[in-house]
Amino acid sequence: MRRPVVCILCDTASLEKGIKRVCLPVASKVTSIDPLNITDSDKALLNEAEVIISDPHFASLWLQGKPNLKWVQGTWAGIENVKKLITDDSKVPAFQYSRVRGIFGQPIAEYVVSYIIAEERKFKWATEVQQNCTWSVELAEHIFNESRTLDSLSIGILGLGEIGKKVAEMCKACGMRVWTLVNRVPPDENKCTYVDEYRAADGIDELLANCHYVCNILPSTQLTRGLLDNEKLKVCSSKRPVFINVGRGDICTEDSILQALREKWIRAAILDVFSTEPLPVDSLLWKHPQVTITPHVAAVTMPHQVAEVIAENLHNYANDRPLNYLIDWNKGY
């Protein structure tokens, strides 16, 4: 069993404490440095480390030039902060990189379903009339005459990885008809029981045209960036779905979303991720009446869960077992 030198860079105190706790039984040396205040001695610790456990947005501190580095374990699922620093394919890092996975499906699925229910039952409208101390007959009439139960609705999920499967499962449990966009349609024996319709990339128009909700869970790759741009959302106009984005913000531009709302191709947008984060204060999305914004919080991250994922991978590394959730530098995910 190897006992690596481990260095931790994390700006969340409770998570940093949990990570250090799981490192101590495995590592020969564990150090934790303040990534916002790097000293010369901290740089020496980074150069010494065989394993670095880090928030991805501190990638510039360890991405290049660390002579002993063999493996980096990220504390999030996303790797955009790491990828954007690799501008030359010939400089792909020599070390392995693992992200955190396996813990985000449940909270993101809850986010998606809760906002679908909120949209159908007009919770935002109800909050507004309550603040005005109004017993709204108009709201009551709308709920009784126009609201839809989930078992009458369909959802198109873009991406059927670990998170997409959990969203599909929860939506199906509510009675929704579930469509999904995948790289390759699996054979019948490998299909999920909670997915009704599979479509590969060439079937995206059919998916968009047939769903009351469209939920993006795709990662940011060369194939997915801008996938819904160039008036692609125009094919939604027959059903006018609500667009939910819990994947990555570069699936389409802000202008594409605003155009789709203006042209009535989509009914509303529920957005948790954006091309630029934080979302600039001058963005037109902020005050658009058909847009709901949350600050990248769909995947509620519990420190103890992240620490458990990291602990398992540390034991894998120490015992020369395959690491979980490794990224492919060439694919970008």
Side-chain angles (χ1 to χ4, degrees):
M1 176 174 167
R2 70 170 92 178
R3 296 181 64 83
V5 174
V6 178
C7 189
I8 303 168
L9 298 88
C10 179
D11 61 4
T12 303
S14 58
L15 179 55
E16 185 270 338
K17 182 179 179 181
I19 293 171
K20 182 175 285 188
R21 175 178 51 79
V22 301
C23 288
L24 289 172
V26 177
S28 62
K29 178 180 179 180
V30 181
T31 58
S32 183
I33 65 178
D34 180 359
L36 302 177
N37 186 29
I38 298 292
T39 65
D40 288 341
S41 60
D42 291 334
K43 292 177 183 178
L45 291 172
L46 285 170
N47 286 332
E48 181 186 7
E50 179 181 344
V51 174
I52 290 176
I53 301 172
S54 175
D55 296 342
H57 59 288
F58 299 126
S60 62
L61 300 176
W62 44 255
L63 190 61
Q64 303 292 348
K66 296 296 172 279
N68 296 307
L69 185 58
K70 300 292 193 302
W71 170 50
V72 173
Q73 169 68 63
T75 57
W76 307 340
I79 58 168
E80 285 73 23
N81 295 86
V82 181
K83 290 193 299 180
K84 70 183 181 183
L85 296 176
I86 304 173
T87 56
D88 186 339
D89 290 341
S90 66
K91 294 183 180 179
V92 170
F95 58 82
Q96 298 184 96
Y97 183 95
S98 297
R99 53 183 174 169
V100 170
R101 293 186 64 185
I103 62 175
F104 302 117
Q106 181 73 21
I108 289 181
E110 290 177 2
Y111 177 100
V112 171
V113 172
S114 66
Y115 271 103
I116 293 173
I117 294 171
E119 177 68 22
E120 293 303 318
R121 294 301 183 95
K122 303 301 175 189
F123 288 174
K124 186 186 292 188
W125 187 0
T127 300
E128 291 171 358
V129 297
Q130 179 181 345
Q131 290 173 342
N132 294 325
C133 304
T134 302
W135 187 274
S136 176
V137 175
E138 184 183 6
L139 172 58
E141 288 180 346
H142 179 91
I143 295 295
F144 287 129
N145 296 324
E146 298 185 40
S147 65
R148 305 173 296 186
T149 56
L150 270 60
D151 59 2
S152 68
L153 302 176
S154 56
I155 184 169
I157 300 171
L158 310 183
L160 196 68
E162 164 214 329
I163 295 171
K165 288 177 180 177
K166 194 65 181 179
V167 173
E169 181 182 7
M170 198 170 290
C171 288
K172 192 63 180 175
C174 293
M176 299 184 77
R177 185 167 181 80
V178 177
W179 293 59
T180 186
L181 186 75
V182 293
N183 287 326
R184 290 177 297 277
V185 176
D188 289 346
E189 62 270 19
N190 292 335
K191 288 182 177 178
C192 297
T193 57
Y194 34 84
V195 173
D196 299 292
E197 300 284 348
Y198 283 86
R199 292 295 182 274
D202 59 0
I204 187 172
D205 286 1
E206 187 181 3
L207 179 151
L208 294 174
N210 280 280
C211 293
H212 300 95
Y213 284 81
V214 173
C215 179
N216 174 53
I217 313 180
L218 291 167
S220 176
T221 70
Q222 285 186 328
L223 294 176
T224 63
R225 284 189 285 273
L227 182 65
L228 299 181
D229 283 332
N230 302 314
E231 300 192 349
K232 172 61 77 174
L233 293 172
K234 189 173 184 178
V235 300
C236 296
S237 57
S238 59
K239 280 241 186 328
R240 291 190 63 213
V242 174
F243 175 57
I244 303 175
N245 194 1
V246 292
R248 287 294 176 260
D250 57 9
I251 189 79
C252 59
T253 64
E254 178 177 322
D255 287 342
S256 292
I257 294 172
L258 292 170
Q259 180 186 20
L261 290 166
R262 186 172 58 251
E263 301 290 345
K264 300 188 186 306
W265 300 337
I266 63 175
R267 185 182 309 274
I270 297 165
L271 308 173
D272 186 59
V273 291
F274 306 88
S275 294
T276 301
E277 294 183 1
L279 183 65
V281 294
D282 60 353
S283 169
L284 296 178
L285 294 171
W286 281 111
K287 295 184 178 181
H288 196 292
Q290 272 75 55
V291 174
T292 298
I293 290 172
T294 55
H296 206 144
V297 294
V300 178
T301 304
M302 303 298 181
H304 72 278
Q305 292 180 316
V306 175
E308 287 170 4
V309 172
I310 292 173
E312 182 177 353
N313 240 3
L314 273 169
H315 282 279
N316 288 342
Y317 184 85
N319 291 283
D320 292 315
R321 295 194 295 260
L323 296 170
N324 297 326
Y325 314 130
L326 285 173
I327 69 162
D328 184 324
W329 289 119
N330 295 314
K331 292 181 179 179
Y333 61 92

